[in-house]
């Protein structure tokens, strides 16, 4: 079976996944066997309003790229790019492996023309999937207005938490989901993870309207404590900043500084030298630290959103692995999905992954015991769903879980596309995001043979109507690592990487 792209009249092979999230949930336990699980796969921000109906979180504070950036001002184009990444690019990518069930998408704009364009982007991407594995997109204004009854949804499962999702029946309670994704939880889990010191803050700042004239004049919408605050909020901010700076300046080198709730590599800093330490201290003082501390409030202080972790660094690891798996109900073994290697930019920013399908059976055995340990820990909190573990192997052959993403991960699609690629003689594959100047049809024409042969797949695409440029997520396959690198280089020559 083939799918015809109406714009280019290019015939693309139908993609059949080895399994889907919907299928994995249905076998995870008796409570979910016959339930319709609506999957909320968008990203959410604690700083950027993604639309008029999706304000920044005030309870669940994610330290993503915009939140951890230096400076206090953002441009409209930067906010638009963030909205496209979180509401379309990430959402399409994970919806591609969602399976037959509701996949929730949120509108970015009130304009009917813009909404029509956004929906076409989604439908076009999902059209290459087989009929039995294609999700049912549900479009709505925001998390407050998900049509639960109309879509026949029994439970919601989210990737990242929006404050407004608390009103629904979720597979995993949202505070539990947040906790399991926190760096503090991993540090205290008892799992094999590097030694870590948690630096906490004391209490939370008082309400702006109970502070000084400067804070009161700042309005209710701006949660950030002003630098020139003359009241108790300013005093609290200075005290807590000093507390964190002292810990950062005195911790022995080398170490890794991690914030509580990060994704895409943001909020993680590698500190090897005194120069790097000083740069981190200076960067924190350019807006991020005051933003983070100001975000602590009465409703979220128990979640410790501003806790920072100072972790030992694993020296000279001989292996760096990204393991994806699915956690079933308590008492059942997890479903191993796959192991990939990560492509990192700038030391910490994830930009893609590579998988060698020939090694998967061996890697399943290699990480079997560790995977069961991680799954048992997640099950002890009632978690059911997808997860990813970043694992380093040291020279002694010891495994160290350096990060745990209790949600769909960027590499989750790779193991599910195994048969799609290996049936074509392609034993290697990579998934990565790109920023290109072309529209979708123009880019496909540039790699027409590769797309028609099924060695290149679009799993997410959003094109800007005004500029003609696009953000996209591709998966490419090849016979060996040399040919994979060659194909990736061809793509990279015509694109820029995307970080989150």
């Amino acid at each position: 079976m083939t799918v015809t792209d109406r714009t280019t009249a290019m015939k693309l092979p139908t993609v059949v996944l080895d399994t889907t999230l919907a299928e994995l949930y249905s076998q995870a336990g008796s409570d979910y066997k016959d339930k319709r699980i609506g999957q909320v796969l968008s990203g959410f921000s604690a700083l950027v309003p993604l639309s008029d109906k999706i304000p920044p979180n005030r309870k669940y504070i994610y330290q993503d790229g915009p939140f951890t950036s230096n400076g206090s001002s953002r441009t409209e184009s930067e906010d638009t790019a963030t909205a496209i990444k979180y509401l379309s690019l990430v959402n399409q990518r994970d919806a591609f492996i969602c399976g037959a069930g509701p996949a929730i998408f949120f509108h970015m704009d009130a304009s009917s023309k813009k909404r029509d364009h956004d929906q076409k982007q989604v439908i076009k991407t999902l059209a290459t999937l087989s009929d039995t594995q294609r999700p049912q997109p549900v479009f709505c204004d925001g998390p407050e207005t998900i049509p639960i009854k109309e879509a026949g949804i029994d439970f919601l499962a989210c990737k990242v938490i929006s404050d407004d999702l608390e009103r629904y029946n979720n597979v995993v309670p949202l505070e539990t989901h947040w906790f399991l994704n926190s760096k503090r939880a991993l540090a205290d889990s008892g799992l094999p993870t590097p030694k870590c010191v948690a630096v906490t803050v004391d209490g939370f700042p008082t309400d702006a309207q109970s502070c000084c004239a400067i804070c009161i004049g700042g309005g209710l919408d701006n949660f950030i404590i002003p630098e020139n605050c003359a009241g108790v909020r300013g005093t609290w901010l200075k005290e807590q900043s000093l507390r964190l700076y002292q810990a950062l300046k005195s911790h022995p080198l080398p170490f890794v500084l991690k914030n509580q709730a990060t994704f895409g590599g943001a909020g993680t800093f590698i500190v090897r030298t005194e120069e790097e330490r000083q740069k981190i201290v200076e960067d924190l003082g350019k807006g991020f630290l005051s933003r983070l501390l100001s975000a602590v409030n009465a409703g979220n202080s128990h979640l410790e959103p501003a806790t920072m972790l100072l972790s030992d660094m694993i020296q000279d690891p001989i292996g760096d692995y990204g393991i994806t798996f699915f956690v079933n109900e308590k008492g059942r073994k997890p479903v191993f999905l796959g192991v990939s290697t990560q492509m990192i930019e700038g030391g910490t920013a994830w930009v893609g992954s590579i998988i060698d399908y020939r090694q998967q059976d061996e890697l399943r055995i290699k990480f079997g015991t560790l995977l069961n340990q991680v799954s048992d820990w997640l099950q002890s909190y009632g978690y059911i769903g997808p997860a990813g573990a970043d694992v380093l192997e040291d020279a002694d052959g010891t495994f160290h879980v350096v990060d745990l993403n209790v949600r769909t991960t960027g590499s989750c699609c790779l193991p599910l596309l195994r048969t799609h690629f290996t049936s074509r003689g392609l034993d290697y594959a990579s998934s990565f995001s790109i920023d290109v100047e072309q529209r979708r049809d123009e880019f496909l024409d540039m790699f027409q043979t590769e797309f028609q042969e099924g060695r290149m797949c679009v799993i997410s695409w959003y094109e800007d109507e005004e500029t003609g440029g696009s953000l996209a997520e591709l998966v490419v396959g090849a016979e060996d690592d040399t040919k994979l690198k060659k194909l990736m280089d061809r793509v990279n020559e015509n694109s820029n990487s995307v970080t989150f």
Side-chain angles (χ1 to χ4, degrees), residues 38-57:
Q39 299 193 47
V40 182
L41 302 167
S42 300
F44 296 101
S45 175
L47 186 67
V48 179
L50 301 179
S51 77
D52 290 342
K53 302 296 184 181
I54 310 178
N57 279 354

PDB file of all heavy atoms in Angstrom, residues 38-57:
ATOM      1  N   GLY A  38      -6.607   8.987  25.934  1.00  0.00           N
ATOM      2  CA  GLY A  38      -6.249  10.163  25.149  1.00  0.00           C
ATOM      3  C   GLY A  38      -4.847  10.610  25.523  1.00  0.00           C
ATOM      4  O   GLY A  38      -4.546  10.804  26.702  1.00  0.00           O
ATOM      5  N   GLN A  39      -3.996  10.757  24.534  1.00  0.00           N
ATOM      6  CA  GLN A  39      -2.598  11.066  24.809  1.00  0.00           C
ATOM      7  C   GLN A  39      -2.302  12.540  24.534  1.00  0.00           C
ATOM      8  O   GLN A  39      -2.480  13.033  23.420  1.00  0.00           O
ATOM      9  CB  GLN A  39      -1.703  10.146  23.988  1.00  0.00           C
ATOM     10  CG  GLN A  39      -1.950   8.683  24.363  1.00  0.00           C
ATOM     11  CD  GLN A  39      -0.909   7.743  23.831  1.00  0.00           C
ATOM     12  OE1 GLN A  39       0.287   8.003  23.941  1.00  0.00           O
ATOM     13  NE2 GLN A  39      -1.349   6.636  23.263  1.00  0.00           N
ATOM     14  N   VAL A  40      -1.877  13.223  25.592  1.00  0.00           N
ATOM     15  CA  VAL A  40      -1.522  14.644  25.517  1.00  0.00           C
ATOM     16  C   VAL A  40      -0.003  14.701  25.403  1.00  0.00           C
ATOM     17  O   VAL A  40       0.711  14.537  26.389  1.00  0.00           O
ATOM     18  CB  VAL A  40      -2.008  15.404  26.762  1.00  0.00           C
ATOM     19  CG1 VAL A  40      -1.673  16.888  26.644  1.00  0.00           C
ATOM     20  CG2 VAL A  40      -3.509  15.210  26.949  1.00  0.00           C
ATOM     21  N   LEU A  41       0.484  14.925  24.204  1.00  0.00           N
ATOM     22  CA  LEU A  41       1.907  14.761  23.921  1.00  0.00           C
ATOM     23  C   LEU A  41       2.622  16.083  23.666  1.00  0.00           C
ATOM     24  O   LEU A  41       3.774  16.100  23.231  1.00  0.00           O
ATOM     25  CB  LEU A  41       2.074  13.818  22.721  1.00  0.00           C
ATOM     26  CG  LEU A  41       1.441  12.428  22.944  1.00  0.00           C
ATOM     27  CD1 LEU A  41       1.337  11.656  21.641  1.00  0.00           C
ATOM     28  CD2 LEU A  41       2.233  11.640  23.970  1.00  0.00           C
ATOM     29  N   SER A  42       1.945  17.189  23.939  1.00  0.00           N
ATOM     30  CA  SER A  42       2.548  18.510  23.763  1.00  0.00           C
ATOM     31  C   SER A  42       3.566  18.794  24.854  1.00  0.00           C
ATOM     32  O   SER A  42       3.562  18.163  25.917  1.00  0.00           O
ATOM     33  CB  SER A  42       1.465  19.593  23.815  1.00  0.00           C
ATOM     34  OG  SER A  42       0.515  19.416  22.804  1.00  0.00           O
ATOM     35  N   GLY A  43       4.411  19.780  24.586  1.00  0.00           N
ATOM     36  CA  GLY A  43       5.231  20.348  25.635  1.00  0.00           C
ATOM     37  C   GLY A  43       4.487  21.529  26.244  1.00  0.00           C
ATOM     38  O   GLY A  43       3.582  22.093  25.618  1.00  0.00           O
ATOM     39  N   PHE A  44       4.843  21.899  27.462  1.00  0.00           N
ATOM     40  CA  PHE A  44       4.250  23.073  28.104  1.00  0.00           C
ATOM     41  C   PHE A  44       5.365  23.874  28.759  1.00  0.00           C
ATOM     42  O   PHE A  44       6.414  23.334  29.100  1.00  0.00           O
ATOM     43  CB  PHE A  44       3.193  22.669  29.139  1.00  0.00           C
ATOM     44  CG  PHE A  44       2.002  21.978  28.539  1.00  0.00           C
ATOM     45  CD1 PHE A  44       1.877  20.595  28.611  1.00  0.00           C
ATOM     46  CD2 PHE A  44       1.028  22.702  27.878  1.00  0.00           C
ATOM     47  CE1 PHE A  44       0.797  19.947  28.040  1.00  0.00           C
ATOM     48  CE2 PHE A  44      -0.065  22.067  27.304  1.00  0.00           C
ATOM     49  CZ  PHE A  44      -0.182  20.687  27.382  1.00  0.00           C
ATOM     50  N   SER A  45       5.120  25.160  28.930  1.00  0.00           N
ATOM     51  CA  SER A  45       6.159  26.061  29.420  1.00  0.00           C
ATOM     52  C   SER A  45       5.719  26.758  30.698  1.00  0.00           C
ATOM     53  O   SER A  45       4.530  26.995  30.919  1.00  0.00           O
ATOM     54  CB  SER A  45       6.478  27.111  28.347  1.00  0.00           C
ATOM     55  OG  SER A  45       7.391  28.077  28.829  1.00  0.00           O
ATOM     56  N   ALA A  46       6.693  27.093  31.531  1.00  0.00           N
ATOM     57  CA  ALA A  46       6.422  27.895  32.723  1.00  0.00           C
ATOM     58  C   ALA A  46       6.737  29.366  32.477  1.00  0.00           C
ATOM     59  O   ALA A  46       6.634  30.182  33.391  1.00  0.00           O
ATOM     60  CB  ALA A  46       7.243  27.382  33.899  1.00  0.00           C
ATOM     61  N   LEU A  47       7.102  29.696  31.249  1.00  0.00           N
ATOM     62  CA  LEU A  47       7.474  31.077  30.931  1.00  0.00           C
ATOM     63  C   LEU A  47       6.744  31.622  29.710  1.00  0.00           C
ATOM     64  O   LEU A  47       6.286  32.767  29.709  1.00  0.00           O
ATOM     65  CB  LEU A  47       8.988  31.165  30.697  1.00  0.00           C
ATOM     66  CG  LEU A  47       9.555  32.569  30.493  1.00  0.00           C
ATOM     67  CD1 LEU A  47       9.428  33.389  31.778  1.00  0.00           C
ATOM     68  CD2 LEU A  47      11.016  32.506  30.054  1.00  0.00           C
ATOM     69  N   VAL A  48       6.617  30.795  28.681  1.00  0.00           N
ATOM     70  CA  VAL A  48       6.075  31.260  27.404  1.00  0.00           C
ATOM     71  C   VAL A  48       4.589  30.918  27.284  1.00  0.00           C
ATOM     72  O   VAL A  48       4.215  29.749  27.414  1.00  0.00           O
ATOM     73  CB  VAL A  48       6.834  30.616  26.227  1.00  0.00           C
ATOM     74  CG1 VAL A  48       6.257  31.082  24.889  1.00  0.00           C
ATOM     75  CG2 VAL A  48       8.323  30.938  26.312  1.00  0.00           C
ATOM     76  N   PRO A  49       3.723  31.906  27.030  1.00  0.00           N
ATOM     77  CA  PRO A  49       2.324  31.596  26.720  1.00  0.00           C
ATOM     78  C   PRO A  49       2.260  31.004  25.311  1.00  0.00           C
ATOM     79  O   PRO A  49       2.567  31.680  24.335  1.00  0.00           O
ATOM     80  CB  PRO A  49       1.627  32.958  26.801  1.00  0.00           C
ATOM     81  CG  PRO A  49       2.710  33.967  26.576  1.00  0.00           C
ATOM     82  CD  PRO A  49       3.990  33.356  27.059  1.00  0.00           C
ATOM     83  N   LEU A  50       1.881  29.739  25.201  1.00  0.00           N
ATOM     84  CA  LEU A  50       1.912  29.062  23.905  1.00  0.00           C
ATOM     85  C   LEU A  50       0.750  29.478  23.012  1.00  0.00           C
ATOM     86  O   LEU A  50       0.809  29.331  21.790  1.00  0.00           O
ATOM     87  CB  LEU A  50       1.916  27.550  24.115  1.00  0.00           C
ATOM     88  CG  LEU A  50       3.096  27.017  24.942  1.00  0.00           C
ATOM     89  CD1 LEU A  50       2.991  25.510  25.116  1.00  0.00           C
ATOM     90  CD2 LEU A  50       4.429  27.389  24.297  1.00  0.00           C
ATOM     91  N   SER A  51      -0.314  29.973  23.614  1.00  0.00           N
ATOM     92  CA  SER A  51      -1.446  30.547  22.886  1.00  0.00           C
ATOM     93  C   SER A  51      -2.273  31.330  23.896  1.00  0.00           C
ATOM     94  O   SER A  51      -1.966  31.342  25.098  1.00  0.00           O
ATOM     95  CB  SER A  51      -2.301  29.451  22.236  1.00  0.00           C
ATOM     96  OG  SER A  51      -3.119  28.813  23.203  1.00  0.00           O
ATOM     97  N   ASP A  52      -3.338  31.967  23.417  1.00  0.00           N
ATOM     98  CA  ASP A  52      -4.214  32.711  24.330  1.00  0.00           C
ATOM     99  C   ASP A  52      -4.877  31.784  25.343  1.00  0.00           C
ATOM    100  O   ASP A  52      -5.266  32.217  26.431  1.00  0.00           O
ATOM    101  CB  ASP A  52      -5.296  33.451  23.536  1.00  0.00           C
ATOM    102  CG  ASP A  52      -4.727  34.603  22.724  1.00  0.00           C
ATOM    103  OD1 ASP A  52      -3.596  35.034  23.035  1.00  0.00           O
ATOM    104  OD2 ASP A  52      -5.402  35.057  21.780  1.00  0.00           O
ATOM    105  N   LYS A  53      -5.009  30.515  24.986  1.00  0.00           N
ATOM    106  CA  LYS A  53      -5.682  29.545  25.849  1.00  0.00           C
ATOM    107  C   LYS A  53      -4.712  28.640  26.604  1.00  0.00           C
ATOM    108  O   LYS A  53      -5.131  27.752  27.341  1.00  0.00           O
ATOM    109  CB  LYS A  53      -6.632  28.676  25.010  1.00  0.00           C
ATOM    110  CG  LYS A  53      -7.698  29.458  24.250  1.00  0.00           C
ATOM    111  CD  LYS A  53      -8.658  30.167  25.193  1.00  0.00           C
ATOM    112  CE  LYS A  53      -9.772  30.869  24.417  1.00  0.00           C
ATOM    113  NZ  LYS A  53     -10.708  31.580  25.324  1.00  0.00           N
ATOM    114  N   ILE A  54      -3.416  28.849  26.400  1.00  0.00           N
ATOM    115  CA  ILE A  54      -2.418  28.012  27.087  1.00  0.00           C
ATOM    116  C   ILE A  54      -1.412  28.930  27.776  1.00  0.00           C
ATOM    117  O   ILE A  54      -0.324  29.202  27.255  1.00  0.00           O
ATOM    118  CB  ILE A  54      -1.702  27.055  26.110  1.00  0.00           C
ATOM    119  CG1 ILE A  54      -2.721  26.300  25.256  1.00  0.00           C
ATOM    120  CG2 ILE A  54      -0.834  26.055  26.888  1.00  0.00           C
ATOM    121  CD1 ILE A  54      -2.107  25.378  24.230  1.00  0.00           C
ATOM    122  N   PRO A  55      -1.772  29.432  28.950  1.00  0.00           N
ATOM    123  CA  PRO A  55      -0.858  30.312  29.686  1.00  0.00           C
ATOM    124  C   PRO A  55       0.290  29.514  30.288  1.00  0.00           C
ATOM    125  O   PRO A  55       0.235  28.279  30.363  1.00  0.00           O
ATOM    126  CB  PRO A  55      -1.760  30.898  30.775  1.00  0.00           C
ATOM    127  CG  PRO A  55      -2.779  29.823  31.020  1.00  0.00           C
ATOM    128  CD  PRO A  55      -3.034  29.198  29.671  1.00  0.00           C
ATOM    129  N   PRO A  56       1.335  30.185  30.736  1.00  0.00           N
ATOM    130  CA  PRO A  56       2.449  29.482  31.380  1.00  0.00           C
ATOM    131  C   PRO A  56       2.001  28.775  32.659  1.00  0.00           C
ATOM    132  O   PRO A  56       1.105  29.241  33.359  1.00  0.00           O
ATOM    133  CB  PRO A  56       3.439  30.614  31.701  1.00  0.00           C
ATOM    134  CG  PRO A  56       3.082  31.724  30.769  1.00  0.00           C
ATOM    135  CD  PRO A  56       1.595  31.631  30.591  1.00  0.00           C
ATOM    136  N   ASN A  57       2.626  27.644  32.937  1.00  0.00           N
ATOM    137  CA  ASN A  57       2.373  26.938  34.196  1.00  0.00           C
ATOM    138  C   ASN A  57       2.795  27.797  35.380  1.00  0.00           C
ATOM    139  O   ASN A  57       3.784  28.534  35.311  1.00  0.00           O
ATOM    140  CB  ASN A  57       3.167  25.629  34.246  1.00  0.00           C
ATOM    141  CG  ASN A  57       2.505  24.501  33.480  1.00  0.00           C
ATOM    142  OD1 ASN A  57       1.390  24.634  32.978  1.00  0.00           O
ATOM    143  ND2 ASN A  57       3.192  23.369  33.387  1.00  0.00           N
TER     144      ASN A  57
END
